[in-house]
Amino acid sequence: MPVTVDANLGGSAEAISASELAEIGLRYEVDGAIATITLDRPDKRNAQTFATWSALARIGEHIPDQVRIVVVKGEGPSFSAGIDLRMFTPEGVPGQGSFVSAASLEETTFERRIADAQRGFLWLRRPDIVSIAAVHGHAIGAGFQLALACDLRVVADDVKFCMKEPALGLVPDLTGTKPLVELVGLPRAIELCLTARVVGAEEAVRLGLAELAVPAGELAQAVQDLAGALLATDRGAATATKRLLQGALGRSLEEQAIAERREQIVRIRTLFASG
Ligand code: ACO
């Protein structure tokens, strides 16, 4: 049975409680080897703020050791309508400022602010976990990038991906550009970002943006089935293989062969060394 937990399992001074998460519009539950993060501000289509990203980072820092799968999903009609549009107003999001106030920040402070936001996304690529975005309805801007931050995407047939940042005068800066290019290739990534057109479920699968598309009512079960299949693999082998695959694009064939040898020696020693 899933339990809602405070994200303070490490006893950190930066603990974040379930009630704090609720205020930010997030839920976090751990059920054995599966952690589920739910964007939970459906009345605002799960719009994201700096508090969302900071909470995601803190959840990532305190994921319990037994967790191997992290599912990211959205409550209500949309996965996420992207950044909270109040960020574009002079008033901003209460307690979090706005782009209007951020514009005058000193360079290093500004860069650190963006890096802090990106931390909420980067941990989802850790080799020792597999992250799955369960995406339905709109996944716009930061919503699309959150889905891209995950290793795998299972989508409902009503999904609508849209990279809207350039249409708003911005760039996608929540770690989405690299996975997008890796998944769909440079020309398609340019086309999708610079036109901000909507990509539906069938095209998402065809482009490699999603592993699987299912009827909306079957999304949760499809994710559960995928998680079950992933969990059937030995954790050490899964972690080492993911690490190897993640490094493949950045290495030459020779370098990758070396990396395979090194990982395999560790595996074989772990499995077969006696005494
Ligand atoms: N930020 C803040 N509030 C939002 C956002 C958002 N990004 N998206 C929706 N909402 C709010 C609406 O203001 C509305 O609030 P209200 O009921 O108090 O008036 C509520 O959520 C429902 O929104 P609707 O537009 O009525 O919902 P609908 O289902 O018809 O449309 C859609 C959903 C298509 C997602 C639409 O809300 C939309 O286009 N949102 C803005 C998307 C956007 O431009 N995001 C920024 C991308 S760039 C980036 O993320 C960096």
Side-chain angles (χ1 to χ4, degrees), residues 50 53-54 57 109-121:
F50 275 103
W53 304 324
S54 151
T109 310
F110 203 164
E111 207 181 316
R112 196 166 53 241
R113 176 82 73 88
I114 298 174
D116 281 345
Q118 291 170 330
R119 278 176 45 238
F121 293 64

Side-chain angles (χ1 to χ4, degrees), residues 43-45 47 78 81-85 138 140-142 164-165 168:
D43 54 323
K44 299 295 177 191
R45 303 298 181 263
S78 301
I83 195 167
D84 193 314
L85 292 175
H138 288 97
I140 304 177
K164 199 166 174 188
E165 285 83 345
L168 299 172

Side-chain angles (χ1 to χ4, degrees), residues 41-48 53 77-78 80-88 99 137-145 160 162-166 168 170-174:
R41 202 153 70 104
D43 54 323
K44 299 295 177 191
R45 303 298 181 263
N46 300 325
Q48 303 172 35
W53 304 324
S78 301
S80 172
I83 195 167
D84 193 314
L85 292 175
R86 288 177 298 173
M87 285 298 293
F88 294 89
F99 287 138
H138 288 97
I140 304 177
F144 192 178
Q145 293 194 72
K160 294 180 188 68
C162 171
M163 197 64 90
K164 199 166 174 188
E165 285 83 345
L168 299 172
L170 302 171
V171 298
D173 68 343
L174 293 167

Side-chain angles (χ1 to χ4, degrees), residues 62-191:
H62 298 292
I63 283 282
D65 287 346
Q66 86 261 16
V67 168
R68 295 184 55 193
I69 305 287
V70 176
V71 176
V72 181
K73 65 188 182 72
E75 194 64 58
S78 301
F79 177 74
S80 172
I83 195 167
D84 193 314
L85 292 175
R86 288 177 298 173
M87 285 298 293
F88 294 89
T89 66
E91 300 75 34
V93 177
Q96 299 184 53
S98 72
F99 287 138
V100 179
S101 54
S104 55
L105 284 176
E106 191 264 325
E107 181 92 5
T108 47
T109 310
F110 203 164
E111 207 181 316
R112 196 166 53 241
R113 176 82 73 88
I114 298 174
D116 281 345
Q118 291 170 330
R119 278 176 45 238
F121 293 64
L122 287 170
W123 68 271
L124 289 160
R125 295 285 180 171
R126 262 169 44 175
D128 60 328
I129 57 166
V130 178
S131 50
I132 306 172
V135 193
H136 73 286
H138 288 97
I140 304 177
F144 192 178
Q145 293 194 72
L146 182 56
L148 286 166
C150 293
D151 294 310
L152 306 173
R153 280 148 296 280
V154 180
V155 300
D157 53 10
D158 67 347
V159 79
K160 294 180 188 68
F161 287 115
C162 171
M163 197 64 90
K164 199 166 174 188
E165 285 83 345
L168 299 172
L170 302 171
V171 298
D173 68 343
L174 293 167
T175 78
T177 56
K178 186 173 168 65
L180 182 65
V181 170
E182 286 173 356
L183 290 170
V184 304
L186 180 58
R188 182 63 70 194
I190 292 172
E191 184 256 327

